[in-house]
Amino acid sequence: MEGRIEHGFRARFQALASTRGRPDPRAEAERLIAEARAAAPHGMAHTRALVALWEKQASETGSAGVREVDTWEEAVVPRFLCDPSLGGLARWLWAAGFEAEVATGVPGHRLPDEALRHGQLLLTTEAETLDRRIVADGSLRVVWLPSALTMREQLRMLALDLGLRPREPRCMRCGGALVKTAKEAVRNRIPPRTALWKDDYFVCVACDGLFWQGTHWERIARTLAEALLP
Ligand SMILES: [Zn+2]
């Protein structure tokens, strides 16, 4: 288990060291892994030691990442393909306004090709994916996340990776786009007590779900604000 986690972080540390123009990214990655091992050799404590080291490096670099999303053209805002173990994270990406598909029913080894074909950025908890040829040669962008982390920790890592900032929320049930809708058009679907104090309503174009900015919505927005960049 430690081996696979370290494999994933080795790639992360090397990418960061390259971004920072360090002379020997491989040696830098090994040094950081050894540091995490010295702090905590096994299990969850080891994973957290690696995360802490990575976060420190990433925040010193500005963004770990690839490119800052706010400088991207709208057309190249990333669309995600999530491996099935990241279904929870996909829902939060929807709430943060990103298109994310959960790859249920697609065998794990086919996910990289699937993501490449659809122009998606692959999110995976399988560190082996980083060794695939289309990943190594830069054809496919992959972000590896440790499966042992909580969803919030994964979201935080991903936000640092890519410089993600919140966008207009999408449907948290299915990821569809939300469209602002006249109150009168949906009045019969609004709980009477909600109708008394809310005037703005949104309908999902995909599943027809009805949403408004109530306490649940605000809780989600607060969590996103903590996890994503300001
Ligand atoms: Zn929906």
Side-chain angles (χ1 to χ4, degrees):
M1 188 63 184
E2 272 81 28
R4 288 174 52 219
I5 297 282
E6 285 179 357
H7 190 54
F9 275 99
R10 190 169 282 119
R12 283 179 166 276
F13 288 144
Q14 280 187 25
L16 273 177
S18 302
T19 306
R20 304 173 93 185
R22 296 298 176 108
D24 191 347
R26 273 169 197 262
E28 177 101 4
E30 294 312 322
R31 184 183 65 74
L32 289 164
I33 286 172
E35 196 177 318
R37 263 189 222 149
H42 304 295
M44 203 53 216
H46 182 54
T47 303
R48 291 206 195 281
L50 287 162
V51 172
L53 277 176
W54 177 80
E55 272 209 21
K56 186 162 169 286
Q57 302 278 316
S59 34
E60 282 169 13
T61 316
S63 142
V66 195
R67 287 162 74 190
E68 296 270 333
V69 166
D70 60 355
T71 66
W72 291 0
E73 296 296 324
E74 183 68 16
V76 291
V77 167
R79 292 179 303 111
F80 299 100
L81 183 65
C82 303
D83 86 25
S85 72
L86 293 170
L89 181 65
R91 294 169 68 92
W92 283 92
L93 286 170
W94 295 341
F98 293 92
E99 288 182 53
E101 186 187 334
V102 185
T104 37
V106 182
H109 68 276
R110 285 195 36 218
L111 290 184
D113 291 329
E114 194 75 6
L116 184 64
R117 189 163 40 247
H118 295 107
Q120 292 160 311
L121 192 157
L122 180 61
L123 300 185
T124 182
T125 55
E126 299 291 336
E128 294 80 1
T129 307
L130 300 170
D131 303 329
R132 293 285 287 266
R133 190 180 50 77
I134 54 172
V135 179
D137 73 11
S139 312
L140 174 68
R141 286 172 58 202
V142 171
V143 173
W144 168 81
L145 296 165
S147 58
L149 297 186
T150 65
M151 185 285 311
R152 283 179 201 214
E153 290 170 322
Q154 290 173 337
L155 187 61
R156 172 87 198 138
M157 276 192 96
L158 183 62
L160 266 175
D161 275 324
L162 302 178
L164 298 185
R165 290 179 166 80
R167 301 165 55 77
E168 287 299 311
R170 301 176 74 89
C171 175
M172 258 190 104
R173 278 181 221 164
C174 79
L178 297 181
V179 176
K180 199 162 184 223
T181 305
K183 187 176 184 176
E184 282 316 309
V186 288
R187 181 172 281 282
N188 60 345
R189 297 171 60 192
I190 306 171
R193 285 207 302 200
T194 303
L196 291 175
W197 63 284
K198 275 289 165 195
D199 291 323
D200 295 331
Y201 295 87
F202 303 85
V203 170
C204 171
V205 296
C207 75
D208 200 39
L210 177 66
F211 298 86
W212 58 90
Q213 295 179 332
T215 50
H216 179 56
W217 183 306
E218 281 160 12
R219 231 180 358 255
I220 291 165
R222 253 198 317 277
T223 302
L224 287 174
E226 284 164 18
L228 301 186
L229 304 185

